[in-house]
Amino acid sequence: MNNSNEPTVIQHPVVARDLTILRDSGTKTADFRMAMARIARILAYFALKDLPLSEKEIQTPITTAKGYEIDKRIIVVPILRAGLSLVDAIIDFVPDAKVGHLGMYRDETTHEPVDYYSNLPHGLDEAMVLLVDPMLATGGSAKDAIEFLQKKGAKNIRFISLISAPEGLERISKNFPDVQIITAAVDEKLNSNAYIVPGLGDAGDRYFGTES
Ligand code: PRP
Ligand code: URA
C-alpha cells in the first residue's frame, strides 16, 4: 500500500477490459453488474493488501504449522446507493466484516450531497473502515461521509472508488491527508453537470437498472 497521500491507481489487464465494459453505454445491466463485481474484487484485494495478521499454531494432517488470522476489525461503509456494488467483494475476503450504511444523493442542481440515512456498527474507532463508492466526482459525497465517520470516531479510513475525477481526488487528499484512496481509474475532468468525463454515466442507475 502506498504510504504517501497519492492515490493507489490499480493497473491490471482485467481492470482495463472491465472498465471498457462499464464505460460502454451499450452494456446491459447483467454485464455491467458482472464487470463491476470483478473489478470490485481487484480493488478489495489491493485495499486489504497490508492487513495486520496475528500468528497462531495449527495442526495439519501431517504436523503442526504456523498459521495466520486477520488481526483487525473491518467495517465496510457503502455510500448508498451505488456503493452497494462494492460491498460483496470485501465480504468475500473478510466474511465477518461489519457493514454500515450512509445514504446520500447529489442534488441535481447544486451537485451538493444530501444525507438521508445512516446506520453504523459499533467499534469505528478500533476498525479499518473501508468507505466505498464507485464514483468520486466533485468529492462532496466522500467528504461528507468521511467527516461523518470521523465524528463517529473512525480513525483509520480508506476510500475505495472505481473511477475518480482529478477534482474529487484533490479535494479528498487535501482535506484528509490520512485517508488512503484506492481507485481503478483517474479520468479527465468533470463536465458542467459535475459528471465524470469520460466516466460511465450514473453508476447507481446503471447498476440498479433504473436509468430512464
Ligand atoms: C453518485 C455516486 C457518489 C456521488 C459522487 O451518487 O455514487 O455517491 O454521486 O458525486 P460527488 O463526488 O460529486 O459527490 P448519486 O447521487 O448518483 O446517488 P445514487 O448512488 O443513489 O445513484
Ligand atoms: N455520480 C455518478 O454516478 N457519475 C458521475 O459521473 C458523477 C457522479
Side-chain angles (χ1 to χ4, degrees):
M1 181 66 55
N2 189 344
N3 282 330
S4 72
N5 197 217
E6 289 293 308
T8 298
V9 184
I10 310 298
Q11 312 273 354
H12 195 288
V14 170
V15 169
R17 189 271 319 272
D18 283 336
L19 271 172
T20 307
I21 293 171
L22 292 167
R23 291 185 193 282
D24 189 334
S25 60
T27 298
K28 298 273 187 294
T29 307
D31 291 328
F32 190 92
R33 287 178 179 154
M34 284 191 287
M36 185 73 95
R38 286 190 296 266
I39 292 197
R41 279 186 178 75
I42 295 175
L43 285 165
Y45 167 85
F46 279 97
L48 298 169
K49 228 174 152 201
D50 58 351
L51 267 185
L53 295 173
S54 57
E55 291 182 4
K56 68 174 191 177
E57 190 174 270
I58 54 154
Q59 182 73 45
T60 77
I62 312 298
T63 184
T64 56
K66 190 160 72 172
Y68 301 94
E69 282 178 324
I70 291 173
D71 195 17
K72 193 78 192 163
R73 184 183 172 87
I74 302 293
I75 298 180
V76 190
V77 181
I79 301 179
L80 304 180
R81 290 174 301 167
L84 291 172
S85 61
L86 301 176
V87 173
D88 284 353
I90 296 164
I91 292 178
D92 281 351
F93 288 131
V94 188
D96 63 348
K98 308 284 184 242
V99 182
H101 294 87
L102 292 180
M104 284 179 191
Y105 67 87
R106 286 200 320 177
D107 181 279
E108 284 183 8
T109 315
T110 65
H111 310 132
E112 289 297 318
V114 179
D115 303 346
Y116 62 86
Y117 182 75
S118 71
N119 188 330
L120 296 171
H122 295 296
L124 281 167
D125 51 339
E126 297 290 332
M128 178 187 287
V129 180
L130 300 170
L131 178 65
V132 298
D133 191 327
M135 306 308 274
L136 177 64
T138 65
S141 306
K143 179 171 180 288
D144 260 25
I146 293 167
E147 280 169 353
F148 188 79
L149 290 169
Q150 288 180 335
K151 254 186 230 150
K152 296 285 177 187
K155 294 184 180 70
N156 178 358
I157 301 175
R158 292 179 180 187
F159 182 70
I160 304 177
S161 79
L162 174 74
I163 300 181
S164 303
E167 294 87 336
L169 281 176
E170 194 185 340
R171 190 165 179 186
I172 298 308
S173 49
K174 266 201 182 141
N175 282 281
F176 310 103
D178 294 339
V179 173
Q180 291 180 356
I181 303 173
I182 299 100
T183 190
V186 180
D187 274 10
E188 204 185 308
K189 59 178 182 185
L190 297 175
N191 69 13
S192 54
N193 284 325
Y195 270 80
I196 300 175
V197 179
L200 52 70
D202 187 306
D205 278 348
R206 295 198 65 199
Y207 187 81
F208 290 107
T210 50
E211 63 207 309
S212 49

